Amino acid sequence: MEDEVDRLVAAWRRERPDLDVEPLEVLSRVSRLARHLDRARRLAFAEHGLEPWEFDVLTALRRAGAPYQLSPGQLLTQTLVTSGTMTNRIDRLTKKGLVERLPDPSDRRGVLVRLTDEGRDRGDKALAGLLAQERAILAELSRAHRGELAGLLRRLTAPFDNIPG
């Protein structure tokens, strides 16, 4: 079975036989898959009236467990955005009634961001939709192949995920 990457690699091998284009065989496919996954994510979230960034914040709070709250700093760590961006996101989610700000009992100047019932419900439904989309994407792979692929991708991404800062 030939795909677009096979055609791209063949063209480069013809045009630049002096270069080893083997990395393209893996990473161009990863890049193309990322674009397809981004579209699937956006569709799954849009069906529940959410943007990808909203889903990221809501699910970070949901994964924290009851009472589904984190400090803005903890949310920064989990969503990899700047402080100013997070403040803006919390403001927007608060206006939509998906999160609420509460005083932090352990820090008089601090706040906690808590998921509302509506935020939890919308995030849970969007997650179920996303998982259905992702199961469909992976349907061509056996359980063993999915496990093998997950292990290989973990090995490839772990160094990036474990870089300090």
Side-chain angles (χ1 to χ4, degrees):
M1 168 186 337
E2 186 177 72
D3 68 0
E4 185 60 30
V5 174
D6 289 323
R7 291 183 284 279
L8 177 143
V9 168
W12 279 122
R13 284 187 173 136
R14 182 187 70 242
E15 294 300 316
R16 291 295 310 268
D18 58 308
L19 293 178
D20 175 11
V21 295
E22 183 184 19
L24 296 176
E25 294 188 68
V26 173
L27 299 178
S28 289
R29 285 185 175 94
V30 169
S31 178
R32 292 176 64 80
L33 180 59
R35 287 193 292 272
H36 290 297
L37 293 174
D38 185 55
R39 281 191 213 125
R41 286 172 57 92
R42 288 181 182 283
L43 178 62
F45 304 151
E47 289 176 0
H48 301 284
L50 295 174
E51 294 290 330
W53 67 264
E54 292 173 314
F55 177 82
D56 289 345
V57 174
L58 297 179
T59 55
L61 292 165
R62 181 69 163 101
R63 288 189 312 269
Y68 312 114
Q69 65 189 26
L70 295 169
S71 71
Q74 291 170 309
L75 283 170
L76 288 173
T77 300
Q78 292 198 23
T79 60
L80 302 174
V81 298
T82 65
S83 177
T85 297
M86 183 53 66
T87 297
N88 181 294
R89 289 179 176 187
I90 293 168
D91 289 344
R92 291 170 67 187
L93 288 168
T94 299
K95 286 179 186 169
K96 290 176 91 171
L98 301 177
V99 302
E100 60 185 343
R101 281 188 174 94
L102 303 169
D104 185 343
S106 65
D107 178 0
R108 289 187 305 137
R109 297 175 300 173
V111 297
L112 294 173
V113 180
R114 180 182 293 166
L115 197 55
T116 65
D117 289 342
E118 172 70 12
R120 189 179 72 209
D121 184 54
R122 297 245 312 261
D124 283 354
K125 287 178 179 173
L127 176 62
L130 172 65
L131 291 172
Q133 290 268 2
E134 290 182 348
R135 270 191 291 283
I137 290 168
L138 294 171
E140 294 296 315
L141 298 178
S142 69
R143 180 177 297 274
H145 283 139
R146 288 192 307 266
E148 182 180 0
L149 180 58
L152 291 169
L153 290 170
R154 181 182 306 108
R155 191 170 182 184
L156 189 60
T157 60
F160 293 102
D161 290 343
N162 296 315
I163 294 173

